[in-house]
Amino acid sequence: MKKVISIICITLLVALYSCDERDDLRSDIDDLTERVANLEASIEQMNSDISNYQQMVEGKILVVGYSKDEQDNYTIELSNGETVTIYSGKVDMNDMPLFSVNASGHWAYTINGMTTELLVNDKPVSAIPETGTAGVTPKLKVDANGFWLISVDNGSTWNKLGNNQIADGTQAVANASSLFSNVTIDEATGQITFTIRADNSQVKVPIYGKDFYLTIEYEGTATFGLGQKQEFVVEQANVETATIENQTWGVKLTENKLIVTAPKTNVQGKVYEEQIYIKIFSKEGYCRVVKLPVKLLTTEIDASSALAWQRFKQGENNVLLDYSYAGYNHGESAPQGAFSLGYQVINVKERMTSKNMTAREALINILQENNMTKVNGTNKMNANAKIVIYFPAGDYVLHNDDDNTRDESKQKDAVDSKNNNVSNGIEIYGGNFVIKGDGPDKTRLIMETPHLPTSISNLSSSPVLLAIKHTNGPNNAGNSPQLASVTENAQRGDFTVKVSGTTGISSGQWVQLRLRSGDRELVKKRSARLPSMRTGR
């Protein structure tokens, strides 16, 4: 019986040991797969650098532009339309093959500090054209087992690079990979000197000149609504021809203008960003690539609408506040199911049909019967209305020239198409109510024509379309007495303010915060004009 137990124990130990081995092997395989995947971007960059380096050595390309970022990294534009990035700081690339051209004009590679001449079929590989043959451009990749592979026929066949050269992949990803370790720009001689990382050798490349360029004036990412056309000011010099590498956007380049038209349909069904690439060529055939970053929305933008509204729709440089959820949870989230609040639901479209009313008339009728607006010239206020004013999908015109009136005692300089001179907004005095539609792309409340100002010298005196208030006449001191003064600054997003006292203020009470100041600079700052969309070179 003891022998049987011993055999069972031994069998269990062997099984457990085998499982451990398989787990370790699987872990090694997973680790290798991840390292190889991480290395792909570095290998792609290295292959691009090798090709550009060879063209530099052969004297086939020039530098057509260069720039330096805040981290002192240089981006060099080459006349073949490609770019080379030289990163500042120390970069550890010992685990990657670093290529160079030796004194014989043959390719060599350095890995882990050891330099070896590249041999294929026991023959050196020429980087510089020889009599009757062209120079060879090697390509790198890593196989599934982590071995470095080399191709000298543009990827048709691959051979191992040396013996058992396993790619680690961790160092190359942790740092910015480049064949070049340094660059020196000498504007006096018109040359840029590239230092090769593998052996510190150098290659000098002439600068084509600063008078070959195309600049586009834009800020950030250019945002477009569906089918929207925008024009951008451009400056160009010595551009012989230009090609647009984009199939979905309409792009036209003139002498001083770039005209871009967005697709009429967003095929992705969501807001997305991409680049429009413009290749410019000099008369000598040198090339530069100019990029315009664009964003496509899922809705249209009315080009004739106010600039502030366009920016609100685009979500950039916005100065308008979004009142979509105002009054609920500090405006931070949508009300949870307006129809499930237990409020009475009043359908505006049904009211329009049943009483043969316009949308404006129907809305005012609903407000009046719930004591939420003027009734027979007297303001009403209903702090606990408990209604949902529902606008089903469709267009609802809440103002046009038919709503204006004529008053001979008022200003006569601003008139509408019917020679009327007075507009009136819709004022709502109430609380605990919801104005609900079927979504931003389905329900639209429309102001068809502008409201007329009360003074031609003050265009901002025009009444608003909808004014939701909690007091009768806030400009009347009797209706809006000052309760306290704010004593400390509050930050954007704060939900509390410190005041001089709380007398007359009770929990749950609505209050108004007002800015009253004789500080001209403060007023100027708050009412400043919107900044220009354009920027200089």
Side-chain angles (χ1 to χ4, degrees):
M1 190 66 178
K2 290 181 180 179
K3 291 181 179 180
V4 175
I5 292 174
S6 297
I7 292 172
I8 292 173
C9 290
I10 292 170
T11 304
L12 286 172
L13 287 170
V14 171
L16 289 170
Y17 180 73
S18 299
C19 286
D20 288 342
E21 279 191 328
R22 285 198 298 271
D23 290 343
D24 290 342
L25 181 59
R26 169 53 57 192
S27 178
D28 289 343
I29 293 173
D30 291 343
D31 183 54
L32 176 61
T33 302
E34 181 180 359
R35 285 187 281 123
V36 171
N38 289 341
L39 202 57
E40 288 180 355
S42 297
I43 294 173
E44 183 179 351
Q45 179 63 53
M46 185 63 67
N47 284 331
S48 175
D49 283 354
I50 290 172
S51 175
N52 288 322
Y53 171 41
Q54 183 182 23
Q55 293 177 70
M56 292 177 188
V57 172
E58 294 177 348
K60 290 183 177 180
I61 56 177
L62 306 177
V63 171
V64 293
Y66 53 87
S67 61
K68 184 170 70 169
D69 64 20
E70 57 274 12
Q71 281 82 39
D72 292 332
N73 302 320
Y74 274 97
T75 298
I76 310 297
E77 296 179 66
L78 304 176
S79 60
N80 60 359
E82 296 191 16
T83 60
V84 172
T85 303
I86 294 88
Y87 299 93
S88 65
K90 185 178 180 180
V91 178
D92 187 352
M93 294 178 60
N94 286 330
D95 55 352
M96 290 190 71
L98 301 175
F99 279 77
S100 58
V101 178
N102 62 23
S104 302
H106 299 149
W107 285 109
Y109 64 94
T110 301
I111 190 167
N112 293 321
M114 182 178 297
T115 300
T116 306
E117 188 172 60
L118 178 63
L119 300 176
V120 175
N121 298 325
D122 295 326
K123 294 182 179 179
V125 179
S126 178
I128 303 173
E130 297 177 345
T131 305
T133 61
V136 175
T137 306
K139 281 189 172 182
L140 282 170
K141 76 174 185 179
V142 178
D143 67 12
N145 296 316
F147 287 89
W148 286 107
L149 301 181
I150 189 76
S151 173
V152 293
D153 53 13
N154 201 32
S156 296
T157 59
W158 296 89
N159 298 292
K160 281 186 179 180
L161 185 64
N163 296 318
N164 301 318
Q165 302 290 346
I166 305 291
D168 183 341
T170 54
Q171 294 293 334
V173 175
N175 298 284
S177 302
S178 175
L179 183 76
F180 308 98
S181 61
N182 193 23
V183 62
T184 303
I185 299 171
D186 190 339
E187 294 186 352
T189 61
Q191 286 186 325
I192 290 185
T193 302
F194 294 84
T195 301
I196 310 307
R197 190 178 300 278
D199 59 359
N200 287 322
S201 61
Q202 295 181 330
V203 57
K204 296 182 183 294
V205 181
I207 301 173
Y208 176 66
K210 295 182 179 180
D211 295 328
F212 172 46
Y213 60 83
L214 171 71
T215 60
I216 307 171
E217 292 188 8
Y218 67 93
E219 184 177 305
T221 300
T223 303
F224 289 77
L226 298 179
Q228 184 184 4
K229 180 189 291 186
Q230 292 189 41
E231 296 183 356
F232 302 88
V233 175
V234 302
E235 290 186 29
Q236 55 180 300
N238 294 318
V239 177
E240 188 73 11
T241 59
T243 61
I244 315 296
E245 296 196 351
N246 193 284
Q247 302 297 319
T248 56
W249 294 70
V251 183
K252 180 180 178 182
L253 178 64
T254 67
E255 186 65 29
N256 54 15
K257 196 179 296 182
L258 180 70
I259 305 168
V260 181
T261 304
K264 294 183 177 179
T265 303
N266 187 321
V267 295
Q268 296 190 24
K270 62 180 181 180
V271 176
Y272 69 89
E273 297 183 13
E274 63 176 324
Q275 301 268 6
I276 292 178
Y277 293 93
I278 304 171
K279 280 188 174 181
I280 60 173
F281 296 88
S282 67
K283 62 182 179 181
E284 297 88 353
Y286 299 135
C287 173
R288 292 186 75 171
V289 178
V290 182
K291 303 175 185 178
L292 175 66
V294 293
K295 178 194 292 183
L296 183 63
L297 306 178
T298 57
T299 57
E300 296 180 355
I301 295 179
D302 183 2
S304 63
S305 62
L307 178 59
W309 174 248
Q310 293 183 39
R311 289 180 173 175
F312 175 76
K313 292 280 287 182
Q314 295 166 353
E316 296 178 354
N317 298 321
N318 175 44
V319 297
L320 300 180
L321 299 177
D322 186 348
Y323 290 104
S324 300
Y325 310 139
Y328 179 86
N329 191 26
H330 306 292
E332 293 188 323
S333 61
Q336 300 301 305
F339 291 145
S340 64
L341 296 174
Y343 292 178
Q344 178 190 2
V345 178
I346 304 177
N347 189 307
V348 176
K349 182 173 283 188
E350 291 178 357
R351 181 65 59 93
M352 292 168 63
T353 302
S354 65
K355 294 198 173 186
N356 192 26
M357 292 178 167
T358 65
R360 180 186 177 93
E361 291 169 341
L363 174 58
I364 292 175
N365 182 254
I366 292 169
L367 295 173
Q368 286 179 339
E369 73 178 20
N370 287 275
N371 292 319
M372 298 171 65
T373 191
K374 286 184 179 180
V375 179
N376 297 325
T378 303
N379 285 349
K380 300 291 184 178
M381 184 167 64
N382 187 350
N384 198 27
K386 291 191 175 181
I387 63 171
V388 175
I389 303 174
Y390 174 46
F391 290 85
D395 288 351
Y396 300 85
V397 177
L398 296 184
H399 174 75
N400 58 26
D401 286 352
D402 292 337
D403 307 318
N404 295 331
T405 57
R406 181 76 185 180
D407 187 338
E408 295 300 330
S409 67
K410 306 294 184 182
Q411 64 81 29
K412 299 181 180 63
D413 295 310
V415 295
D416 63 13
S417 61
K418 301 177 184 294
N419 204 36
N420 290 322
N421 62 342
V422 177
S423 295
N424 291 289
I426 301 173
E427 295 185 342
I428 304 174
Y429 300 100
N432 289 292
F433 70 94
V434 176
I435 298 177
K436 177 171 172 50
D438 281 334
D441 299 326
K442 297 178 181 179
T443 299
R444 298 199 308 165
L445 306 183
I446 298 173
M447 187 177 187
E448 203 168 69
T449 58
H451 271 161
L452 301 173
T454 59
S455 170
I456 193 64
S457 62
N458 181 13
L459 297 181
S460 64
S461 63
S462 300
V464 297
L465 180 63
L466 289 173
I468 301 174
K469 303 180 178 181
H470 289 275
T471 62
N472 289 319
N475 291 323
N476 186 315
N479 290 330
S480 298
Q482 181 172 328
L483 300 174
S485 297
V486 176
T487 57
E488 290 186 14
N489 290 332
Q491 300 300 316
R492 176 178 293 186
D494 285 353
F495 298 140
T496 60
V497 292
K498 285 196 173 184
V499 296
S500 58
T502 58
T503 302
I505 304 175
S506 59
S507 177
Q509 180 181 6
W510 285 93
V511 296
Q512 293 179 345
L513 287 176
R514 290 193 167 201
L515 173 63
R516 290 191 174 100
S517 175
D519 186 336
R520 296 179 64 87
E521 289 302 316
L522 177 61
V523 174
K524 182 179 178 181
K525 180 180 179 182
R526 293 300 179 187
S527 60
R529 295 180 59 187
L530 293 171
S532 171
M533 288 286 282
R534 291 176 177 170
T535 58
R537 285 180 60 193

